[in-house]
């Protein structure tokens, strides 16, 4: 089966491509570097010719409100139009748990716009809502840093490692369209401020984390339900401690 992975050279995309190729499928890792650009439309028709399944794992290069909305709307429209022309039978998109609850954030408004385009396209689809990736804890810490202090919400999170996400995305590529949204999350919950504190300690980073209920997460205030899944989510297998032991080591 021919499968096109948009954003196929990114964190999740590269791992998903690897898994699908190991299962014997013809997989195109599509990205602007490979001549496939969903914003300009360059290379889309050629890449999608003969494809049965498309996974959209691309992310906006900018988190600025206007730019992120334009990215997801433009990319979504171009990709879905090209898929219709090519006769693609299953569109799969990776989105975020809490998207509909966090519309105060420009990023989540962009993701919701993307999801609406998918649902209205007429192409059979599966939307996968994932909790935060464990690999992004460093970036989350940086987003709340002023001097040597990191101010972050104490709201609950349930992060998942990229390997577990890629396992799910590869499975979805080989499954029938759900025509619905499914949720995936990590196996354990923790408070964001506490988890990032553990991460920084594991990295021997001297910054101090302070819990601040008013601290925003990419422009949105959080509560204990904002970023966790209560919707019978598929759970990843790798815990915080297992990931820290393997990955959160100072270089």
């Amino acid at each position: 089966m021919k499968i096109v992975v948009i954003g196929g050279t990114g964190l999740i995309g590269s791992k998903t491509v690897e898994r699908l190729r190991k299962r014997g499928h013809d997989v195109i890792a599509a990205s602007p570097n490979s001549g496939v650009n969903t914003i300009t439309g360059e290379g889309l028709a050629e890449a999608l010719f003969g494809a049965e399944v498309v996974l959209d794992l691309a992310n906006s290069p900018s988190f600025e409100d206007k730019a992120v909305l334009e990215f997801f709307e433009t990319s979504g429209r171009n990709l879905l139009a090209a898929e219709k022309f090519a006769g693609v039978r299953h569109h799969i998109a990776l989105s975020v748990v809490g998207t509909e609850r966090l519309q105060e954030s420009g990023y989540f408004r962009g993701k919701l716009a993307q999801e609406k385009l998918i649902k209205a396209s007429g192409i059979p689809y599966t939307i996968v809502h994932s909790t935060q990736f464990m690999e992004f804890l460093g970036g989350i810490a940086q987003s709340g840093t002023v001097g040597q202090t990191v101010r972050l919400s104490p709201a609950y999170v349930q992060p998942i490692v990229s390997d577990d996400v890629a396992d799910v995305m590869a499975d979805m590529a080989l499954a029938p369209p759900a025509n619905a949204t499914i949720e995936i999350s990590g196996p354990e919950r923790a408070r964001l401020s506490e988890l990032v504190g553990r991460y920084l300690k594991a990295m021997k980073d001297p910054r101090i984390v302070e819990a601040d209920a008013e601290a925003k997460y990419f422009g949105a205030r959080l509560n204990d339900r904002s970023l966790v899944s209560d919707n019978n989510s598929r759970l990843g297998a790798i815990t915080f401690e297992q990931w820290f032991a393997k990955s959160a080591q100072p270089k």
Side-chain angles (χ1 to χ4, degrees):
M1 181 163 63
K2 181 178 177 180
I3 302 169
V4 177
V5 181
I6 304 296
T9 58
L11 174 65
I12 306 300
S14 59
K15 295 183 177 187
T16 303
V17 166
E18 178 185 15
R19 283 157 172 76
L20 290 169
R21 284 178 176 164
K22 283 182 178 178
R23 298 189 196 185
H25 297 282
D26 176 16
V27 185
I28 293 181
S31 70
N33 288 338
S34 69
V36 181
N37 191 317
T38 58
I39 297 300
T40 65
E42 176 191 3
L44 267 181
E46 294 83 357
L48 295 181
F49 180 79
E52 296 182 48
V53 176
V54 172
L55 290 92
D56 186 1
L57 307 180
N59 204 3
S60 173
S62 169
F63 279 26
E64 189 274 325
D65 286 1
K66 183 179 178 182
V68 75
L69 181 62
E70 288 180 352
F71 175 87
F72 284 119
E73 287 187 331
T74 302
S75 177
R77 288 193 183 103
N78 288 341
L79 180 57
L80 291 164
E83 287 179 30
K84 273 193 171 183
F85 185 79
V88 169
R89 295 191 287 185
H90 189 186
H91 177 95
I92 305 162
L94 182 60
S95 193
V96 189
V97 164
T99 289
E100 68 286 348
R101 297 190 288 266
L102 294 171
Q103 290 297 291
E104 184 182 2
S105 162
Y107 182 81
F108 289 98
R109 290 195 296 272
K111 293 301 291 183
L112 187 62
Q114 177 192 35
E115 293 181 25
K116 288 179 177 178
L117 288 170
I118 293 167
K119 292 174 182 178
S121 70
I123 299 171
Y125 72 91
T126 302
I127 295 172
V128 179
H129 272 189
S130 173
T131 53
Q132 297 69 36
F133 306 151
M134 206 83 75
E135 288 84 354
F136 289 176
L137 289 176
I140 292 170
Q142 188 59 39
S143 72
T145 296
V146 178
Q148 289 298 299
T149 301
V150 184
R151 288 186 173 82
L152 293 173
S153 169
Y156 278 114
V157 292
Q158 197 167 344
I160 186 170
V161 302
S162 60
D163 282 322
D164 284 339
V165 177
D167 286 342
V168 172
M169 300 312 295
D171 287 348
M172 292 301 104
L174 306 179
N179 291 314
T181 300
I182 69 165
E183 296 193 348
I184 61 175
S185 57
E188 299 175 305
R189 292 186 182 185
R191 296 198 177 276
L192 178 62
S193 51
E194 294 174 3
L195 183 63
V196 171
R198 288 165 60 191
Y199 170 80
L200 293 178
K201 183 178 180 181
M203 295 292 288
K204 301 189 186 307
D205 189 310
R207 286 177 289 175
I208 302 299
V209 178
E210 292 185 1
D212 180 356
E214 296 302 312
K216 291 187 176 183
Y217 179 84
F218 298 105
R221 291 178 180 83
L222 302 179
N223 59 46
D224 282 345
R225 290 189 60 253
S226 298
L227 294 174
V228 298
S229 174
D230 293 314
N231 193 26
N232 298 314
S233 62
R234 174 170 165 173
L235 298 181
I238 302 172
T239 66
F240 304 150
E241 287 76 14
Q242 289 168 334
W243 180 79
F244 286 147
K246 181 179 178 181
S247 304
Q249 298 295 331
K251 304 298 183 185

